[in-house]
Amino acid sequence: MSSLKPLAVAVSGLFALTPALAADLVQKVKPPVSQAYVDLATFSGGMPAMPGGGAAGMLGSLFNKGNGGGNTFGQTQGQSQGRWMDVVLLTRNNTNLKTATQSVPAGSRLAPTLNLLAPEPQPHQAPERNIPDDEPAKFEMPKGKMYLYWGCGTEVRKGQPLVIDFARMDVTQYNKFFQNRGATARVPTPVPGRPAWPNKTDARLLPEGASMAGEHAFAGDGIVDGFKFNIDAAHDLMPAVEATRSDDGKGVLFKWKAMPQATAWFVQAMGMRDTGHGGDNDMELVYWTSSELPDMGMGLVNYQPDSAIEKWRKEKVLLPASATECAAPKEAVGATAMSRVIAYGDELNMAWPPRPKDPKITWEPQWDVKVRRKSVASLMPGMDSMATSAAMSGHGDDVSSGPPAQPAPAQARTPTATDVITQGAVGLLRGVFKK
């Protein structure tokens, strides 16, 4: 019998651990039946909404974001002046959903509903045959250099700038230079079965003074009943960033008005230097960001999840919500540099029914919705401030349900400093990324 005692002790100890193991039980979570994604964006300064042309159109074509004109889906990822909203809806109950409606509050000035529409399926195209050329393709590395400065202050810090010479670039140099933080989640895009707004049947612009605060509801074939939620005033469209830049002999000072809705700030500048050697690719591209750690900022001037914002605030990659200014060395931000100031807004995530507190109960949400917000100001060369009220009033009070009128043909114009900078930057970057 004595030989059984150790076994009995071991078994009793196992049962004694059971409550602790239960505490670590992972709750089973099923995907929501219906989901909606709402992106809200405010852009001030920069390029007005126009058909495809100019610097905004070139950058949009490079990064496949927006189309530079009209209210089409994707303008929240562009840089055209104004206030924009993108909505995508999907449901597991109907993967072929074509249309749906979104009830919106009266303050949106688009009430009572938005008409969501899924794109039509595209005809299948056979892949192109890869016919080899007689001679292998030749790649000519673009001429030029890139410089990266970072941190607030008028003095160039020790170890700066990082320099990359495209003619002599190696992998180690490339990885050291191209540091771009970013945790922007990709939301589902409009495809057959996922209706979205705006679209070809409902391309209304957000009227001046529109507010999304209030009750919203989605309805459609396969959308769960009771898909209703409220956007509170704290998670409404963000106001325009009111920013200025001033240059003196020591450096460049960026200042902006405090914004209660902002959770953090970030400033980025990009400019071109002409080496004087001639040639389209013989240029120098100069970056500066407000981060205390090296970062080009290409991934940061966009929506970021709350967890990433909190992390990067602690690391001083992002400026705190209370910040209202940041200076840069004169070597880092030239007179023709384009600059952007972004105010991040926190996300609004809601689901029904709420998640059970008991981990042993499976969570089966019927619907969930994610609302993301940001406000970005662009300071173009030659502009020491932005007339934000004028930028925001460009939409007028057009609340017609049909698509916008076709724009008039663009007038010929003399290229601006912005065009020259952007064309040089785009050409240089395209050469690099085609490698």
Short mmCIF file of all heavy atoms in Angstrom, two decimals, residues 6 19 43 50 80 131 140 167 173 180 273 275 279 310-311 315 322 334 341 365 381-382 385 395-396 406 433:
data_model
loop_
_atom_site.label_atom_id
_atom_site.label_comp_id
_atom_site.label_asym_id
_atom_site.label_seq_id
_atom_site.Cartn_x
_atom_site.Cartn_y
_atom_site.Cartn_z
N PRO A 6 2.83 7.67 -3.14
CA PRO A 6 3.34 8.73 -4.01
C PRO A 6 2.41 9.00 -5.20
O PRO A 6 2.23 10.14 -5.61
CB PRO A 6 4.70 8.19 -4.48
CG PRO A 6 5.10 7.23 -3.40
CD PRO A 6 3.81 6.59 -2.95
N PRO A 19 -7.99 24.38 -11.18
CA PRO A 19 -8.51 25.76 -11.25
C PRO A 19 -7.55 26.72 -11.94
O PRO A 19 -7.97 27.61 -12.68
CB PRO A 19 -8.73 26.13 -9.79
CG PRO A 19 -8.91 24.82 -9.09
CD PRO A 19 -8.01 23.87 -9.79
N PHE A 43 -8.28 65.86 -45.08
CA PHE A 43 -7.04 66.35 -45.68
C PHE A 43 -7.16 67.85 -45.90
O PHE A 43 -8.17 68.33 -46.44
CB PHE A 43 -6.77 65.66 -47.03
CG PHE A 43 -6.52 64.18 -46.93
CD1 PHE A 43 -7.46 63.29 -47.40
CD2 PHE A 43 -5.36 63.69 -46.36
CE1 PHE A 43 -7.25 61.92 -47.32
CE2 PHE A 43 -5.13 62.32 -46.27
CZ PHE A 43 -6.08 61.44 -46.76
N MET A 50 -8.88 66.91 -58.10
CA MET A 50 -8.90 67.21 -59.52
C MET A 50 -8.67 65.91 -60.28
O MET A 50 -8.14 64.95 -59.75
CB MET A 50 -7.83 68.24 -59.89
CG MET A 50 -6.41 67.78 -59.58
SD MET A 50 -5.19 69.00 -60.09
CE MET A 50 -5.58 70.36 -59.00
N SER A 80 -6.13 64.32 -51.47
CA SER A 80 -6.91 65.44 -51.99
C SER A 80 -7.60 66.18 -50.85
O SER A 80 -8.14 65.56 -49.93
CB SER A 80 -7.96 64.94 -52.99
OG SER A 80 -7.34 64.39 -54.14
N ILE A 131 7.15 35.47 -73.52
CA ILE A 131 8.02 35.17 -74.66
C ILE A 131 9.37 35.79 -74.41
O ILE A 131 9.50 37.01 -74.30
CB ILE A 131 7.41 35.72 -75.96
CG1 ILE A 131 6.01 35.13 -76.17
CG2 ILE A 131 8.32 35.43 -77.14
CD1 ILE A 131 5.29 35.69 -77.37
N GLU A 140 19.36 49.93 -65.74
CA GLU A 140 20.30 51.02 -65.47
C GLU A 140 19.95 51.63 -64.13
O GLU A 140 18.87 52.18 -63.96
CB GLU A 140 20.22 52.07 -66.57
CG GLU A 140 21.21 53.22 -66.35
CD GLU A 140 21.13 54.26 -67.45
OE1 GLU A 140 20.40 54.02 -68.44
OE2 GLU A 140 21.78 55.31 -67.30
N ALA A 167 24.08 54.36 -57.01
CA ALA A 167 25.09 53.77 -57.88
C ALA A 167 25.96 52.76 -57.15
O ALA A 167 26.57 51.89 -57.77
CB ALA A 167 25.95 54.86 -58.50
N GLN A 173 23.33 48.48 -46.84
CA GLN A 173 23.03 49.90 -46.90
C GLN A 173 21.54 50.13 -47.11
O GLN A 173 20.93 50.99 -46.47
CB GLN A 173 23.81 50.53 -48.06
CG GLN A 173 23.69 52.05 -48.15
CD GLN A 173 24.40 52.61 -49.37
OE1 GLN A 173 24.56 51.90 -50.37
NE2 GLN A 173 24.80 53.87 -49.31
N ASN A 180 10.87 51.86 -42.34
CA ASN A 180 9.53 52.44 -42.41
C ASN A 180 8.60 51.68 -41.49
O ASN A 180 8.12 50.60 -41.83
CB ASN A 180 9.00 52.39 -43.84
CG ASN A 180 9.63 53.43 -44.74
OD1 ASN A 180 9.39 54.63 -44.59
ND2 ASN A 180 10.46 52.99 -45.66
N ARG A 273 17.10 67.95 -54.10
CA ARG A 273 18.23 68.85 -54.35
C ARG A 273 18.74 68.57 -55.76
O ARG A 273 18.94 67.41 -56.13
CB ARG A 273 19.38 68.58 -53.38
CG ARG A 273 19.12 68.90 -51.92
CD ARG A 273 20.32 68.48 -51.11
NE ARG A 273 20.12 68.63 -49.68
CZ ARG A 273 20.89 68.05 -48.76
NH1 ARG A 273 21.90 67.29 -49.13
NH2 ARG A 273 20.65 68.24 -47.47
N THR A 275 21.69 68.44 -58.15
CA THR A 275 23.15 68.38 -58.01
C THR A 275 23.86 69.32 -58.96
O THR A 275 25.05 69.60 -58.80
CB THR A 275 23.65 66.95 -58.26
OG1 THR A 275 23.32 66.56 -59.61
CG2 THR A 275 22.99 65.98 -57.29
N GLY A 279 20.73 65.92 -66.14
CA GLY A 279 20.17 64.57 -66.25
C GLY A 279 18.96 64.41 -65.36
O GLY A 279 18.93 64.88 -64.23
N GLU A 310 0.38 53.70 -29.17
CA GLU A 310 0.87 53.72 -27.79
C GLU A 310 2.34 53.30 -27.71
O GLU A 310 3.14 53.92 -27.01
CB GLU A 310 0.01 52.80 -26.92
CG GLU A 310 0.41 52.79 -25.46
CD GLU A 310 -0.45 51.87 -24.62
OE1 GLU A 310 -1.34 51.19 -25.17
OE2 GLU A 310 -0.24 51.83 -23.38
N LYS A 311 2.69 52.26 -28.44
CA LYS A 311 4.07 51.76 -28.45
C LYS A 311 5.03 52.81 -29.01
O LYS A 311 6.08 53.09 -28.42
CB LYS A 311 4.15 50.49 -29.30
CG LYS A 311 5.55 49.91 -29.46
CD LYS A 311 5.49 48.63 -30.27
CE LYS A 311 6.87 47.96 -30.40
NZ LYS A 311 7.80 48.77 -31.24
N GLU A 315 8.29 55.09 -27.51
CA GLU A 315 9.60 55.06 -28.15
C GLU A 315 9.97 56.42 -28.76
O GLU A 315 11.05 56.57 -29.32
CB GLU A 315 9.63 54.00 -29.24
CG GLU A 315 9.46 52.58 -28.72
CD GLU A 315 9.37 51.55 -29.83
OE1 GLU A 315 9.24 51.95 -31.01
OE2 GLU A 315 9.43 50.35 -29.53
N SER A 322 -0.13 66.10 -26.85
CA SER A 322 -0.02 67.49 -26.39
C SER A 322 0.94 68.33 -27.22
O SER A 322 1.01 69.55 -27.05
CB SER A 322 0.45 67.51 -24.93
OG SER A 322 1.72 66.86 -24.80
N GLY A 334 14.48 71.71 -47.09
CA GLY A 334 14.77 72.83 -47.96
C GLY A 334 13.54 73.65 -48.26
O GLY A 334 12.40 73.29 -47.92
N VAL A 341 1.80 66.80 -41.92
CA VAL A 341 1.59 66.71 -40.48
C VAL A 341 0.33 65.87 -40.28
O VAL A 341 -0.74 66.23 -40.78
CB VAL A 341 1.41 68.10 -39.84
CG1 VAL A 341 1.21 67.96 -38.33
CG2 VAL A 341 2.59 69.00 -40.15
N PRO A 365 -20.19 36.64 -32.24
CA PRO A 365 -20.75 37.96 -32.59
C PRO A 365 -21.58 37.90 -33.87
O PRO A 365 -21.20 37.26 -34.85
CB PRO A 365 -19.51 38.83 -32.77
CG PRO A 365 -18.40 37.88 -33.07
CD PRO A 365 -18.72 36.62 -32.33
N PRO A 381 5.43 73.53 -51.13
CA PRO A 381 6.49 74.54 -51.29
C PRO A 381 5.90 75.92 -51.58
O PRO A 381 4.96 76.06 -52.36
CB PRO A 381 7.29 74.03 -52.48
CG PRO A 381 7.05 72.56 -52.49
CD PRO A 381 5.64 72.38 -52.02
N GLY A 382 6.45 76.92 -50.92
CA GLY A 382 6.00 78.28 -51.12
C GLY A 382 4.80 78.67 -50.31
O GLY A 382 4.32 79.80 -50.42
N SER A 385 1.51 78.72 -44.72
CA SER A 385 0.35 78.35 -43.91
C SER A 385 -0.72 77.80 -44.82
O SER A 385 -0.65 77.91 -46.04
CB SER A 385 -0.18 79.56 -43.13
OG SER A 385 -0.67 80.52 -44.02
N HIS A 395 -16.12 71.29 -51.18
CA HIS A 395 -17.17 70.36 -51.55
C HIS A 395 -18.53 71.03 -51.73
O HIS A 395 -19.42 70.46 -52.34
CB HIS A 395 -17.31 69.26 -50.48
CG HIS A 395 -16.19 68.29 -50.54
ND1 HIS A 395 -16.02 67.31 -49.61
CD2 HIS A 395 -15.17 68.14 -51.41
CE1 HIS A 395 -14.95 66.59 -49.90
NE2 HIS A 395 -14.43 67.08 -50.99
N GLY A 396 -18.72 72.19 -51.14
CA GLY A 396 -20.02 72.84 -51.25
C GLY A 396 -21.11 72.03 -50.58
O GLY A 396 -20.87 71.27 -49.67
N GLN A 406 -19.11 65.37 -65.04
CA GLN A 406 -17.78 65.15 -65.61
C GLN A 406 -16.97 66.44 -65.51
O GLN A 406 -17.46 67.52 -65.85
CB GLN A 406 -17.89 64.71 -67.07
CG GLN A 406 -18.50 63.34 -67.24
CD GLN A 406 -17.65 62.28 -66.59
OE1 GLN A 406 -16.43 62.28 -66.72
NE2 GLN A 406 -18.27 61.35 -65.88
N PHE A 433 12.59 50.85 -57.11
CA PHE A 433 11.69 49.75 -56.82
C PHE A 433 11.48 48.82 -57.99
O PHE A 433 10.91 47.76 -57.86
CB PHE A 433 10.35 50.27 -56.29
CG PHE A 433 10.48 50.90 -54.95
CD1 PHE A 433 10.27 52.26 -54.78
CD2 PHE A 433 10.83 50.15 -53.85
CE1 PHE A 433 10.41 52.84 -53.54
CE2 PHE A 433 10.97 50.73 -52.60
CZ PHE A 433 10.75 52.07 -52.44
#
